[in-house]
Amino acid sequence: MDFFHHQDLARRNTRVLVGLFVLAVFALILITNALVAAFLFFGSETDLYGAAVYGWRGFLTYFSWQRFGMIGLGISATVALVVLFRWIQLSTGGRVVAESMGGQRLLPQTTDPAERRCLNVVDEMALAANMPVPAVYVLPDERGINAFAAGILPADAVVAVTRGAIDHLKRNELQGVIGHEFSHILNGDMRLNIRLAALLKGITFIGDVGYLMLRSRGHPSANDNRRGGVPALPVLGLGLCAVGWLGGLVADYIRAAISRQREFLADASAVQFSRDPDGIGDALKVIGGYVPGTLVHSARAAEMAHIFFGEVLHSLWLPFATHPPLDQRIRRLDPDWDGQFIKRTPRHYPNPASRNSAAAAGLDRAAVVAAAMAAAAEADEESEQEDAAADADFSANATDYEADTAQRESIPVALVRHSHEPLGAHAIVSALLVQPDTEIYQRQMQVLQDSGIRGLTELTHTLYPAVAELGAPRRLPLIELCLPALKAISEPQYRKFKRTLLQLIQADARTELHEWCLYQLVRHYLDPEFIQVQHSKPRYRRLTQVRESLQVVLSVLAEAGSADTAAAFAAGARELEIPDLSPLPAAQGSVAAFSKAVLQLADLYPLLKPRLLKAMALAAGEDGQLTPEEREIIAAMAAVMDCPAPELL
């Protein structure tokens, strides 16, 4: 799956969306002018010059270019302000969207088995997609099976699931749904969805104004201007309601047209991430056989319907449906599907041990019944064992999930458990920066002691040997596992956390490249959770404009991971197609120069960033392998450049 290509398609869809939006606003201006003319016509018995006129001739006298311009300017300004306000409101991060839907943050410390299983699945899909673990929210009052991803960039992304999804989907089915949402993050759909919501709110706002005018008619008086006894203000309000209704239809059509094809792509990506074609397919089959379906009852659900995994409202007409029909999605994943949905009724899943005890008791009773009933007893036993196996998927305990993650990522279970606690995550990240040199080690321990965080020094000292033994190959996944717990701390705690990290790095009076990578990854994915950040802006249209910076980053990467520095540099330079690009001496490839170069490259135009990252991957892999150090460098660069690179890593 070429995610960079689909990110470009998302940007093209944004341009199409803006074009349709402009046409829709122009149509609103025309209709509103006609309504104002009708309002004036019915509100007065004379024309603009005092003459009594009727019919179309009289109606047309109330049109004027001056009024058309004023109304057009007023509507455009109003819509622009509404869009701007809504964009600012939604662009603060996925957390705002999730909380506006009634979502509650799932903390790593939760003891609910279904919630722990969901967190574990999100961990799995994040690592499979080569991106940090996002925050997870649950919509506790929603019994429908649904989910969504929200945010502007992967750094501020969140994944939200309904309670119905985590209660009624098996592990592989939940993996498919979560993998689907990760596709929206990597394909650039989240930014498109937020823009879509902001623009469409601007279109429908006219109807909201009309509704208020319609409700404010009050009691008629003798001085009301009217023609034939028709109150003028409610007529205008009713007309604006009609405009808002038409705008809503246009908005729904635009939203549906852009959204449907992205859903097919996300379904295919879910198979790639989960490596299980039956997971997402079975989840869709369960939805088809589940009475609540994918319905969501939140007040904001209709407005944000296009960001969900499935339809949140029943659509009577396909052109206005935000998602493709369920059977079409299933058949694209399973061409041999027999058309039968999976029936799964709402229920509480019992502990497997109790089910096994019941089966054992059934065996004891079967031993004393007549021989004619033996076959039936055996069949009942097999059925109960199958049910117990199915229930085990829903009732495994937290320890099992942590053990699964530990085995999959080759990380000790103790570290996985500590990564789910804020203090443990802080200690693990600190241990990644601790150095074995005795003198430096003592200074770093003193930094932790001076931080004033109770227990941090002792826990870091305890975890350091296990973290050091893992070495470079597991640093990146270990950092990613720690991010959700660190997002749960307060803003003052986060500022202290960042200050401590910088002091640990500066304890030896120099900054190593892996320390820079770790700090950038942590800062980039945690800053949006606590402070307002300024994202990079496109400034450079051509790679030749940042030639010196390209020279620095390629030289540093070639020097860091390849025995043949010249060959590695040449492999990356060929992809960039910049003539006479040569490697710099090692002395000029300092961490400070590398950091400055990456910050400049973050301002490249979007389509140039994946090309640069591909060149970096080619340089790193010139010797036939991508080392952990090289992976860290590319991952840190991708983070700073706001450009996810799942395919490259």
Side-chain angles (χ1 to χ4, degrees), residues 123-177:
D123 286 352
E124 292 174 351
M125 293 299 100
L127 294 172
N130 284 307
M131 65 169 287
V133 183
V136 184
Y137 284 77
V138 64
L139 308 183
D141 300 324
E142 302 293 348
R143 296 301 159 186
I145 298 175
N146 223 321
F148 66 84
I152 300 297
L153 297 167
D156 58 24
V158 305
V159 171
V161 294
T162 61
R163 187 72 204 188
I166 65 176
D167 278 346
H168 299 105
L169 292 180
K170 294 182 180 180
R171 186 185 184 88
N172 70 318
E173 296 161 356
L174 190 59
Q175 285 176 333
V177 172

Side-chain angles (χ1 to χ4, degrees), residues 619-634:
E622 189 276 334
D623 56 357
Q625 62 178 350
L626 201 61
T627 67
E629 291 82 1
E630 292 167 336
R631 285 176 178 270
E632 284 182 354
I633 295 172
I634 298 176

Side-chain angles (χ1 to χ4, degrees), residues 90-369:
L90 295 176
S91 64
T92 52
R95 177 182 60 183
V96 174
V97 178
E99 291 176 352
S100 71
M101 299 278 188
Q104 296 177 1
R105 180 80 167 266
L106 286 187
L107 299 177
Q109 301 93 329
T110 180
T111 57
D112 184 296
E115 294 177 354
R116 290 303 296 265
R117 183 173 63 121
C118 179
L119 289 172
N120 187 258
V121 167
V122 172
D123 286 352
E124 292 174 351
M125 293 299 100
L127 294 172
N130 284 307
M131 65 169 287
V133 183
V136 184
Y137 284 77
V138 64
L139 308 183
D141 300 324
E142 302 293 348
R143 296 301 159 186
I145 298 175
N146 223 321
F148 66 84
I152 300 297
L153 297 167
D156 58 24
V158 305
V159 171
V161 294
T162 61
R163 187 72 204 188
I166 65 176
D167 278 346
H168 299 105
L169 292 180
K170 294 182 180 180
R171 186 185 184 88
N172 70 318
E173 296 161 356
L174 190 59
Q175 285 176 333
V177 172
I178 299 298
H180 175 104
E181 298 308 323
F182 271 94
S183 170
H184 285 311
I185 296 174
L186 294 172
N187 287 333
D189 293 340
M190 292 191 308
R191 180 187 288 267
L192 175 63
N193 287 336
I194 295 300
R195 285 175 174 169
L196 191 59
L199 293 178
L200 299 187
K201 182 62 178 177
I203 294 177
T204 58
F205 180 74
I206 302 297
D208 297 338
V209 174
Y211 179 72
L212 292 175
M213 294 177 64
L214 195 60
R215 286 177 58 89
S216 64
R217 62 171 294 179
H219 298 286
S221 66
N223 296 325
D224 282 344
N225 288 329
R226 63 184 69 195
R227 176 183 291 263
V230 179
L233 189 62
V235 168
L236 181 58
L238 184 62
L240 291 179
C241 281
V243 172
W245 180 77
L246 291 174
L249 287 180
V250 174
D252 288 343
Y253 183 80
I254 294 173
R255 177 171 60 183
I258 290 178
S259 175
R260 282 196 297 271
Q261 288 304 314
R262 312 299 295 177
E263 295 304 315
F264 285 129
L265 169 65
D267 287 346
S269 299
V271 176
Q272 176 180 345
F273 293 145
S274 64
R275 292 163 177 80
D276 180 10
D278 294 332
I280 180 71
D282 285 352
L284 293 168
K285 294 172 189 176
V286 169
I287 289 170
Y290 181 63
V291 175
T294 55
L295 297 184
V296 176
H297 298 94
S298 169
R300 294 286 182 87
E303 178 186 351
M304 304 295 290
H306 56 289
I307 75 173
F308 279 86
F309 174 78
E311 292 277 2
V312 299
L313 299 171
H314 289 302
S315 179
L316 300 178
W317 194 24
L318 181 61
F320 294 95
T322 55
H323 294 69
L326 204 60
D327 58 341
Q328 288 186 18
R329 295 175 69 178
I330 295 173
R331 292 194 185 281
R332 288 208 179 192
L333 297 164
D334 182 7
D336 299 325
W337 179 48
D338 60 4
Q340 297 297 314
F341 292 113
I342 299 174
K343 300 295 182 181
R344 194 167 293 163
T345 56
R347 63 189 179 100
H348 294 289
Y349 297 96
N351 191 297
S354 64
R355 298 297 296 268
N356 289 335
S357 298
L363 285 174
D364 292 338
R365 291 191 299 270
V368 296
V369 297

